[in-house]
Amino acid sequence: MQIFPKTLNILPLALAFVTFVAGGAVTGIVWFYFSPKNFQVGYAPEQPVAYSHRLHAGQLGMDCRYCHANVESSAEAMVPPTQTCMGCHTLVKAQSPRLQVVRDSWASGEPIEWVRVHKLPDHAYFNHAAHLNAGVGCASCHGRIDQMEVVAISQPLGMGWCLDCHRNPGPHLRPRDQITNMAWEQTASEEAVQALAANVHPPENCSGCHR
Amino acid sequence: MSKREKYSFAAAPATAKKFWKSLEAKENPAAFAKAAEPEFPMGVGTVEDAASVSRRGFLTVATATAAAIGLEGCVRRPVEQILPYAQAPEYLNPGVPMHYATSVERRGEALGLLVTTHEGRPTKIEGNPEHPASLGSTDLLAQAMVLDLYDPDRSNAPKQGEAKKTFADVDALMASIVRTHSADAGAGLRILATPSISPSFLRLRAAVQQRFPQAKFYTWTPVNESNAREGARLAFGEPVVAHHDYQGAKIILSIDSDFLQTESGSIRSARRFADGRRLSQATDSMSRLYVVESTHSTTGANADHRLALAPSKITAYLRALAKELATAHRIELGPLGAALQGASNAGLPTKWISNVAKELVGARGRSVIVAGSRQPAAVHALVHALNAALGNHGATIVFSSVADTTETDQTASITAFAAGLEGAKTAIILGGNPVFDAPADLDLATKLARVETSLHFSGTHDETCHATKWHVPRAHELESWGDLRALDGTVTIQQPLIAPLFGGRTDLEVLAQLAGERNWRGYYVVRQTLRGAAGVQNGFESEWRRVLHRGFVAGSAEPPRPGVIDMSRVATALGRSEPAVDGFEAVFLACAKMLDGRHANNAWLLELPDPLTRITWDNVALLSPKTASELGVRNGDMIRVTRDGTSIELPAWKLPGQPDKAVGLLMGWGRKHAGRYGNDVGFDVYPLRRSDALHSAAVQVAKLAGSYPISQTQDHDSMEGRPIAIDGTLEEFKADPTFAIHRSPTPRTLPLWREVEYRGHKWGLVIDLGACTGCNTCVIACQSENNIPTVGKAMVAKGREMHWIRIDRYFVGEDANEPEVAFQPLACQQCEEAPCENVCPVEATAHSPEGLNDMAYNRCIGTRYCANNCPYKARRFNYFNWHTKNEADEEVPPTRQMQFNPNVTVRMRGVMEKCTYCVQRIETARTATKIAGRPMRDGDINVACAQACPSNAITFGDLNDAASRVSRQNQVSRHYKLLADIGAQPRTTFLAKVRNPNPEMSA
Amino acid sequence: MSEAHFTPVEEELAHGAESPIEYLGERNLLPPTMTMRQLTETVCAPTELKTPKAWWIGFGIALMGAGILGASVSWLLFKGVGVWGNNSPVSWAWDITNFVWWIGIGHAGTLISAILFLFRQKWRTSINRFAEAMTIFAVMCAGIYPGLHTGRPWFDYYMFPVPNSMVLWPQFKSPLMWDIFAVSTYFTVSALFWYVGLIPDLATLRDRSTGDTLPRKVRRFAYGFFSLGWRGSNRHWQHYERAYMILAGLSTPLVLSVHSIVSFDFATSVEPGWHTTIFPPYFVAGAVFSGFAMVLTLMLVCRSVFDMKDVVTMKHLELMNKIMLTTGSLVGYAYAMEFFVAYYSGNQYERYVFLNRAIGPYAWAYWSMIACNVIFPQVFWWKRMRTSIPVMFVISILINIGMWFERFVIIVTTLHRDYLPAVWGMYSPTIWDMGVYIGTFGFFFTCFLLFLRWLPMIALAEVKATLPNAHPRKSHAADHADDHGHDTNLAEEPTALPAE
């Protein structure tokens, strides 16, 4: 007594085919979407103060290090204290309502609660000073901040992405005096690039970044 | 963010100047309360430093995102905030730690320290290399001190009875006290303090004395130097401090002195002692240490010859020895010779008298006899006499005057205080914990209750606070301004690293208030004293800055002088001597961990294994194996120790080398009001300690039914004849300087994998077993550097302690009553053919190009295969989430997290961890030197254990740099690799211990 | 069997030798009177008759056990591995002990079905289905441990070589990795093998479930679905035989590889007592040993409960006992050899470990192991013992206990005292260790009882092939006489016969 009509003889073949296609699809989806590239890039939270990097770094052409002062000497890029803002804004736009939060903070001594945008997992010990001194530009990891009204993540910031550069730093290096230059383009010849990379030895072992 | 309540941080003193400003700003309460909130609601609760990326608690977020496995750090939950300063403190560079010089008092010595702070949080304590007392090292307690600072049970407000008060109330109270006693010229005013070595303290005390002529000052601390002082008074007519040159001395005789661990100035002693014994080639010579002691101390464990004598017999031994010297060797003792005629060798091993005497005479002017603080004044006097007669004074022993010449015998002082409480109006107790640790017969608690106004200034709401009317928080040493006088006279500055976390006053401030100083804040007090002392009026500010930077006043050490001894006074002192006790005697021992009980709530110290018994979280009654078997007690059996009427019950423990019939009782345990960790841990032995016999007393011992569970980190004492902690005698060494490597040869086997070629740096560690005294300082140093958790007594019993470096202790030799001891500090050996690396299925532990076994915690899934395959068992596994909740589900307090080193991942449950040669320090130095544009030099990096080691037993550095200290140490002929025959090619090297026994002793 | 392949056997058959069994020098395995009809009835009965009360009771208990597993595992995941007794130095304890034990149990099945099949051991047909089922369930139980003994099971996927944003691969040098592949392969192939063997019998069940009541319909559909439309045509048999043969070929090396690789977990380490070349054969022998013991234990029960005495005869049992005697002695030899080698190596650590096993704090475990694995099985030298049901039942259980102790001894007593005396320690299990272990039993028997209730526990088609009347030269009449109109079902036919 059969429950399968003869027509079903195609079934195994069909099944095999479906498994193959579906399996491939799932893998592909996971591979692409469950990746930092997809999760990280584009994260642009709203900040308590509508601070515009495009205005300050872009139009006004302020150097990154005016606010992120210790970035060359510390692992942290250092979000500037209210003090720094007030340095100018006691004179410039001293009454602007958009700066109310800043003035309050200055008055009360309460910190401004900025929302962290670029965040590596806590077990990844990224060191700004080390990278800047090796000649990695701000833009290499943060993108064209000078064109961002609201700061957003522009690079995956995943381990694979880090390793790409650590394994072949040359193309991502620039002269020390250009690190904060957002618009800088790699124009040097292959030799020059390799020369830059000559005395840069990024770690590729675990403890280089994980301690 | 989480709902955990915020703590309130007191504002910094308004008085602070330059070095203080940063912290003042730092202590911006709101900012800090925010800062104190955990990043992750599920609450590993890590302190998020203002303006710095938090590096910690990663592993917990991993649990949370277990759903999105593998994506941790990608999905932004929860939203994290950055809290920059409103007004940035001067000099503060977020993410870059700062180091400040300060100091701490330890048994009358001032230890100069360098403290690391991260954004204002003190996290790590090191020794100040320029300071004469610490020589760049610290002792055990100094390392653990930083945890006391963050003790969750520190009192956070003044209290009257149980009612919370404010500091305003305290000021009012002080004012009223001043008023009352201005009336009676201080007749009713009693002030009890711990013996002070602070010039400011003495100055202010004088001032107070002047203002209230009738007021009385007393001093008490349970572990004190009184006997030594009195001994010196007898011998020299003035209380002087003896400085022993353990390096230059050829023969050292310790009369019950634990100068390597618990005695005053132990760091310097340990360093010098080790320096006198570092053998590099066969021609080198080394000192010989004889120890006669009433317990088995760390010093005894390092002796070449050790004689265990019941406390009452030690005087007899010294007398017999003196007599031998005087009669057989004709050394000049003057009137003393006659006084010694009565001495007899009865019950004493004659070889110990004849041989030691011969040795001492043979090394005239190059020997040292040192008496322990437990020994009576007469013994100290006699020791001075013998040293003088042997020509050691001015050669191996010099003297300097004490900080407080008026200091009287502590026991007398505390007794007087207790008596004086009758008819006292006001009793002020500055620090200490007399109700807990004063001689039991004085019954301070009830006497204090009768006093109208009684205040106790103390860090925690301890036993004494429960007896006084008022309790006022006392600032921690790391929160205080102060000055200390080192034993050699060096004036050392104590500067605060952080504003008092929970408020709090210092002794100086209290006295200053009493003395009616207008600027009574510690900062001004200290400056004023220094201005007076340093004698610099013009340019004081710049001098002050220099002093703060250096940590002490350069050149303030007092020129040492030889003593002028008066034999006749010693002779008369010798006249009165205690009769020998037969039957049981109790010896009250200063605990290497608790000292006198002040560290009782320090989880690091509680979990630290005792140097010799390896017991954690408890104290026991130490018995000799012989005595134990006579009593029929096994380890852990309860016994009752009775001293006329009073008795305590505690578990007995067999300690090989403990004198027969002498019951060793460790002080400072069994506190009732220490805090969550220390309450009712261990057994209080103070009830047996009376003013009539402070250090040892005749007792009865009875076995009780039942036993008590004890947690040890090591329960097997024998080396099973394996070449592990290799040691040999000087003869063996001279015969074959490479004897060690012959006992543990490295096989010529082909490597399993392609061998790494170490081009750049090649980090290596060399541990000199000859120098290691087994003091355990490295263990705590590692714990505080690497965020190592404590696990609690139950878990230690299960074998789950987490120490990355441990000190294995083996008993060597046949006779269980006279064992030799071998210590072996053991951490990850960073094998070049590491067995652990190949077996990890996820490559969580991999080899670095510089030869480290990197441990990527975030990659580890916890198969524990690596631990199985580690021949040294140097790996530790997080069986639970030690950093959030312990096994008993008690929350780990947030203050604990303030101590965390932000450069080391806090490991979560289920992760394997181990020593990494402090890789965070290596990487920090690498970046720093890169930026500075220079290569890393020897000394740029030091690992925590090596840095802390008092005897410089550990050396770290680059083996590829032929000139580095570690390379040179690595060449020393005593070197060998542990378990070399496995072929794992350990990177760490050991230098075999060499003992220097006197052949005639065995003859 | 069929002419799907022309082995010497078939050649002989063609030239009119006796029945296949006789040709292989075996006597009839089943009573000569046993007809195919009776066989079908006997085997199908448990799945068709009303569920016996005993089954319900057994199932209830088993389910409870499975519940314990659930509870223990949840607690384990909630609190961490710390709820177990593992510690330093004993980082592996009951977890891995049980893993290896279950894996070992899981050896008999495939051995019986694959290797004995290739060796033409006809007697296997009565027990192979049963053994294979047991194998699969045992491997499932074993599989629980490697997954859960890790500190952070939710990251176990790090061990799979999948592309990831960390650009990291697993460490293929690690025996644990080999383990994962070995065990999963073994499981997959065993499962396939088992299922393929089931197909004709499922068809039989399908065809027997006539009637229009709902349960009957469900049965029909279920069996129908899983029998993949088996019609027993010549082509079907041909493909079937070929597939079966291929799978047998595939799984044969696996039987040996799995436990060899499991043994590598230990053999490749540097621990004294683990680092030895004897482990692979020693482990395989031990595995077969324990596997057969477990088959026997279960078999004896079912045999009496479901009245299979005519299908699983004393002959079968005796043969199994012989195999256990052999493998048991092999294991005993290994024990002795370990000691000798340790002594002969002159390596003090090796020597100490083995002395410590025999006279150390865990000596009781060692001697129970010796007694159960080496001493007791020796009784099987006597036929009377080999053929006594109670004796073999007791012994088989003892052997299972003994083999558990063997793993405990190898793992715990080695770890608790290795190189540095300073870190020596002891191990004692917690209730959660026991919970998980008992739980796996619950899970095992849950699966097993379901199997007994719903699937033919005897390989119907194969056993039939061993019947005398499966012999080509027997008259058709005889067959049809006891066929009762089931002739439509070719699965009922012994084998496709050469047309006359």
Side-chain angles (χ1 to χ4, degrees), chain C residues 83-102:
Chain C
V83 301
W84 286 345
N86 302 39
N87 59 36
S88 170
V90 187
S91 302
W92 285 349
W94 274 37
D95 44 6
I96 303 302
T97 303
N98 298 341
F99 163 67
V100 179
W101 187 74
W102 275 117

Side-chain angles (χ1 to χ4, degrees), chain B residues 58-59 62-63 65-66 69-72 74 713-724 753 795 798-801 806 808-810 824 826 835-843 845 856-865 867-873 875-881 886-889 908-912 978-979 981-982, chain C residues 75-93 95-96 146 148-160 164-166 168-178 180 264-272 274 347-350 352-353 411 415 417-426 428-430 433:
Chain B
F58 134 70
L59 291 160
T63 348
T65 54
I69 38 183
L71 308 173
E72 69 273 10
C74 305
T713 57
Q714 172 186 354
D715 56 13
H716 197 88
D717 296 334
S718 156
M719 240 182 285
E720 298 293 328
R722 303 175 177 186
I724 297 173
W753 317 105
M795 287 292 110
K798 269 199 163 195
R800 293 174 178 178
E801 67 272 12
R806 61 174 198 266
D808 293 345
R809 185 270 294 120
Y810 299 100
Q824 183 166 47
L826 207 110
C836 55
E837 288 172 1
N838 297 329
V839 297
C840 175
V842 294
E843 219 148 0
T845 183
Y857 305 117
N858 42 298
R859 177 73 175 173
C860 176
I861 62 174
T863 64
R864 305 188 294 288
Y865 199 170
N868 286 339
N869 213 23
C870 174
Y872 309 95
K873 292 287 171 278
R875 289 174 161 266
R876 301 299 193 181
F877 187 68
N878 289 272
Y879 278 96
F880 290 111
N881 245 347
N886 60 20
E887 201 249 354
D889 266 358
M908 85 177 288
R909 138 196 162 193
V911 170
M912 190 60 72
L978 180 54
L979 300 178
D981 48 357
I982 297 171
Chain C
W75 185 245
L76 174 74
L77 293 176
F78 177 66
K79 288 287 286 182
V81 204
V83 301
W84 286 345
N86 302 39
N87 59 36
S88 170
V90 187
S91 302
W92 285 349
D95 44 6
I96 303 302
L148 287 181
H149 92 289
T150 59
R152 303 194 295 163
W154 50 92
F155 283 131
D156 283 354
Y157 80 102
Y158 282 171
M159 286 192 283
F160 304 128
N164 57 68
S165 64
M166 290 171 284
L168 280 177
W169 289 107
Q171 152 100 286
F172 293 102
K173 279 188 234 158
S174 166
L176 286 186
M177 284 303 297
W178 313 341
I180 292 182
F264 290 166
D265 288 348
F266 308 102
T268 59
S269 82
V270 301
E271 287 291 284
W274 282 9
N347 178 321
Q348 58 175 328
Y349 308 113
E350 286 286 340
Y352 183 87
V353 163
I411 292 168
L415 287 174
R417 287 186 174 184
D418 63 354
Y419 290 102
L420 299 182
V423 287
W424 287 358
M426 294 293 285
S428 55
T430 67
D433 283 293

Side-chain angles (χ1 to χ4, degrees), chain B residues 163-202:
Chain B
K164 279 204 180 220
K165 296 285 177 184
T166 67
F167 278 93
D169 303 329
V170 175
D171 292 334
L173 178 68
M174 295 305 286
S176 73
I177 290 174
V178 169
R179 267 197 309 284
T180 354
H181 293 291
S182 315
D184 66 358
L189 179 58
R190 305 278 185 278
I191 301 174
L192 175 65
T194 53
S196 177
I197 56 170
S198 157
S200 296
F201 185 95
L202 301 177

Side-chain angles (χ1 to χ4, degrees), chain B residues 42 111 259 500 547 814 924:
Chain B
M42 82 289 299
L111 303 184
F259 62 86
V547 169
E814 303 315 310
T924 314

